């Protein structure tokens, strides 16, 4: 039976979204009724067929077989996306074996937060999600396709692809990942070297050697950040070939899973055996399943932004209150770095996404009766793929956890509540990732130290100015101010302060993502400082309370005192150089964090 809170949240989501969802489905139905590509003018169709060989031209002109778009984020700058280079040709060949054709419809931009962290380019990271959605739409707007395969892995790329796909909700969709790199230097050991470097105990050469030992080949990074959370959520939403999230690149099993993606999208097309438009597949149940999987795995805080934005693209209004309600009944079932010592390869060996989905389904915490790319139930995603000779097959997982320090059954979770919590108070609303934080640090009440940039915090740390218990406030980091960068470089120094016995917390209108670790961090504070939020009125020494257990974020000031405070001005030159000027329009248009921090935000 479905958990009553899961049922209630789903019902509330459906009810509050009914007018928006109805309008979305009306647009989907209108698109379904559009004339087929054969009705295009001869000139239009000729342009589409000009580069195709004779056989493909004939098949596409006849219109009896599925014609599939391939949208890819391939580049060889990102290790996670480098394996995608050869996917389009492989997918075309696999589709041909099922009588279908394909064209590479669009390449979308893909940037790496790991490369840009702490640099000006990070200010473009979140905005790249909506740009990817627009680039996806440009590829699909040629109106000659019966379905699409979406190739992507990392932080903003998969959410951007899905937002774009949902604008063409009448087309079926299958998402095709590349898989993680093999394990290198353990993530915990890498983090320790970073902390020692911040303390001045190791050289830059030693730090670089450690980083290169951790990030050492093609494939996704092995910690459980946004990229790998994306992959788990694609499983929970039924958008992958089952079990394909964490299979290594360049392996026979990965090749077989990629080929299966081609078969499924052709089968699910209007010209296949089972028409499944992605706009109907991603409904309230699928969205709730994604939130539940996020909470049970202790996934990235970035999805507090991405899932509401994805939901809006499908006609739903998913709120942070929905996350909070589900968090109270969804237990933490996985410990994957930074929530534990294991990396994603060890998580996969212990059962991976299939383990979580099986346990959550068994406890009534997921909607099982949902259409997926693979079938009519989410149970298909509770088994692991393997090669039976040369044949792709799926098998049941062991009944008992093979690694209880990595995955646990529902009956004995790591924590009884999920890995994210909602904070509220006179400073606004924020999300805090609890799964990696010792409960002893869930409540911090201390004087504020207020900064307007990550660099200013680093300078104060190096000067020995961050003494005693403190709440580090880093403001003017929201989407309207500077694009909402991730503040990765604060984690090593905050961890050092905490290890030295200081009680510390971070409060910011910026992001932290999968880097959220052992220090409590109230993220995505909204309203942001640049929009007149209370953060802009704070001063050094103000007493701030961050309480994850009670869900509180507040400054100990009377409302009248806070209201009389002068609003601090944003620093000059926040968005200069590195192409940032080109995104001034996005900064003006972007909506608040709790609605997805999207330029497509239409309000409610």
């Amino acid at each position: 039976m479905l958990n009553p809170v899961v049922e209630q949240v789903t019902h509330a989501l459906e009810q509050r979204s009914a007018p928006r969802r109805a309008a979305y489905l009306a647009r989907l139905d209108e698109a379904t009724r559009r004339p087929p590509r054969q009705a295009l003018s001869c000139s239009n169709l000729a342009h589409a067929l000009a580069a195709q060989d004779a056989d493909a031209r004939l098949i596409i002109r006849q219109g009896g077989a599925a014609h599939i778009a391939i949208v890819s984020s391939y580049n060889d700058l990102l290790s996670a996306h480098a394996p995608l280079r050869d996917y389009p040709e492989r997918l075309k060949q696999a589709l041909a074996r099922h009588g279908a054709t394909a064209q590479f419809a669009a390449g979308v931009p893909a940037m790496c937060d790991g490369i840009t962290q702490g640099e000006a380019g990070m200010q473009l990271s979140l905005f790249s999600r909506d740009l990817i959605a627009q680039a996806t739409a440009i590829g699909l707007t040629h109106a000659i396709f019966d379905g699409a395969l979406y190739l992507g892995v990392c932080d903003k790329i998969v959410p951007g692809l899905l937002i774009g796909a949902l604008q063409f909700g009448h087309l079926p969709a299958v998402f095709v990942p590349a898989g993680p790199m093999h394990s290198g230097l353990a993530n915990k050991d890498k983090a320790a070297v970073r902390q020692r470097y911040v303390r001045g105990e190791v050289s830059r050469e030693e730090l670089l050697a450690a980083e290169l030992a951790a990030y050492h080949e093609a494939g996704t990074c092995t910690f459980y950040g946004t990229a790998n959370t994306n992959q788990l959520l694609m499983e929970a939403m039924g958008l992958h070939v089952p079990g394909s999230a964490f299979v290594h690149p360049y392996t026979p099993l990965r090749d077989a899973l990629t080929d299966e993606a081609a078969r499924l999208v052709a089968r699910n097309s209007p010209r296949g055996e089972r028409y499944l438009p992605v706009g109907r597949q991603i409904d309230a149940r699928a969205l709730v399943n994604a939130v539940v999987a996020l909470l049970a795995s202790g996934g990235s805080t970035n999805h507090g932004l991405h899932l509401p934005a994805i939901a809006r693209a499908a006609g739903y209004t998913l709120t942070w209150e929905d996350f909070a309600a589900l968090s109270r009944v969804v237990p933490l079932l996985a410990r994957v770095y930074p929530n534990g010592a294991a990396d994603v390869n060890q998580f996969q060996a212990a059962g991976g996404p299939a383990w979580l989905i099986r346990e959550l389904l068994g406890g009534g915490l997921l909607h099982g009766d949902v259409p997926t790319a693979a079938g009519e139930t989410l149970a298909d995603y509770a088994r692991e793929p393997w090669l039976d000779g040369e044949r792709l097959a799926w098998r049941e997982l062991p009944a008992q956890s093979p690694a209880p320090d990595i995955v646990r059954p529902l009956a004995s979770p790591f924590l009884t509540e999920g890995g994210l919590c909602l904070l509220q108070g006179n400073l606004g609303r924020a999300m805090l990732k609890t799964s990696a934080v010792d409960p002893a640090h869930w409540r911090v009440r201390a004087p504020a130290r207020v900064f307007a940039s990550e660099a200013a915090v680093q300078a104060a740390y190096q000067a020995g100015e961050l003494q005693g218990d403190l709440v580090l406030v880093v403001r003017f980091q929201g989407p309207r101010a500077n694009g909402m960068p991730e503040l990765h470089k604060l984690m090593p120094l905050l961890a050092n302060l905490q290890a030295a016995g200081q009680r510390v917390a971070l409060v910011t209108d910026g992001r932290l993502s999968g880097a959220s670790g052992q220090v409590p961090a109230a993220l995505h504070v909204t309203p942001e400082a640049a929009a007149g939020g209370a953060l802009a009125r704070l001063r050094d020494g103000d007493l701030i309370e961050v309480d994850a257990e009670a869900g509180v974020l507040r400054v100990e000031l009377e409302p009248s005192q806070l209201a009389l405070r002068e609003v601090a001005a944003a620093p000059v030159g926040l968005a200069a150089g590195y192409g940032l000027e080109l995104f001034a329009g996005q900064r003006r248009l972007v909506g608040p964090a709790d609605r997805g921090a999207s330029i497509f935000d239409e309000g409610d």
Side-chain angles (χ1 to χ4, degrees), residues 416-432:
T416 56
E417 295 192 7
L420 294 175
C421 73
L422 171 63
L423 304 180
Q424 300 187 85
N426 61 359
L427 289 179
R429 292 148 52 80
M431 300 201 81
L432 189 147

Side-chain angles (χ1 to χ4, degrees), residues 1-3 6 10 235-237 285-294 296 330 353-370 378-379 381-382:
M1 292 181 61
L2 195 63
N3 179 282
V6 174
T10 307
E235 300 271 330
M237 297 172 86
R285 297 169 299 168
L287 291 166
V288 168
N289 283 352
V291 177
V292 169
L294 172 69
V330 174
W355 175 279
L356 291 188
I357 290 171
R358 185 188 72 181
E359 292 298 309
L360 294 167
L361 278 173
L365 291 167
L366 289 173
H367 292 276
D369 58 336
V370 290
L378 195 61
Y381 293 77

Side-chain angles (χ1 to χ4, degrees), residues 382-409:
R383 300 178 296 159
E384 65 175 354
W386 67 296
L387 285 179
D388 181 7
E390 295 185 358
R391 183 179 67 89
L392 180 62
W394 285 264
R395 59 192 175 194
E396 301 298 327
L397 295 172
Q400 303 298 319
S401 171
D405 56 331
I406 301 174
V407 294
R408 293 266 184 92

Side-chain angles (χ1 to χ4, degrees), residues 185-199 207 210-211 214-215 337-338 491-493 495-496 515 518:
L185 179 69
N187 287 295
K188 191 173 183 180
D189 294 337
K190 173 195 68 182
V193 175
R194 288 178 178 176
Q195 290 176 228
R196 292 174 61 207
Y197 177 75
V198 169
R199 296 195 297 265
L207 176 64
E211 298 286 357
Y215 308 117
Y337 186 86
M491 277 297 96
L493 65 88
N496 283 340
Q518 56 195 291

Side-chain angles (χ1 to χ4, degrees), residues 34-226:
R34 289 174 191 155
R37 57 182 165 270
Q38 289 71 29
L40 290 173
S41 77
C42 293
S43 177
N44 293 149
L45 192 56
H47 276 83
L49 299 179
Q52 302 301 296
D53 63 31
D55 290 343
R57 287 187 189 188
L58 180 60
I59 294 170
I60 296 169
R61 285 177 64 187
Q62 288 176 335
H67 186 52
I68 304 301
I70 298 172
V71 181
S72 176
S73 57
Y74 163 74
N75 64 47
D76 62 10
L77 179 65
L78 278 67
S79 64
H81 290 200
L84 299 175
R85 181 187 64 182
D86 300 324
Y87 276 34
E89 191 56 38
R90 180 174 196 96
L91 289 165
K92 289 179 183 179
Q93 292 174 7
L95 284 163
R97 291 195 291 273
H98 299 285
T101 53
Q103 286 176 291
F104 189 98
V108 303
M111 64 178 290
C112 178
D113 292 357
I115 297 172
T116 57
Q117 60 182 266
E119 303 296 331
M122 177 60 87
Q123 296 179 33
L124 299 182
S125 174
L126 181 59
F127 288 147
S128 74
R129 179 195 67 194
D130 293 355
L131 181 61
I132 289 162
Q134 291 172 314
T136 300
I138 289 171
L140 296 178
T141 203
H142 294 100
I144 60 171
F145 299 111
D146 301 304
L149 292 160
Y150 299 94
L151 282 52
V153 177
C154 285
D155 296 27
K156 316 310 167 297
I157 292 95
V158 169
L161 288 170
L162 183 49
I163 291 168
L166 287 165
Q167 301 310 306
F168 292 80
H170 62 294
L171 300 179
V174 178
F175 280 66
V176 187
M181 64 178 69
H182 291 86
S183 301
L185 179 69
N187 287 295
K188 191 173 183 180
D189 294 337
K190 173 195 68 182
V193 175
R194 288 178 178 176
Q195 290 176 228
R196 292 174 61 207
Y197 177 75
V198 169
R199 296 195 297 265
E201 296 173 2
V202 298
S203 67
R204 176 180 169 82
E205 288 73 21
E206 291 172 294
L207 176 64
L208 181 58
E211 298 286 357
L212 287 170
Y215 308 117
H216 60 98
E217 66 179 10
T220 317
C221 306
T222 61
F223 69 96
Y224 191 52
T226 310

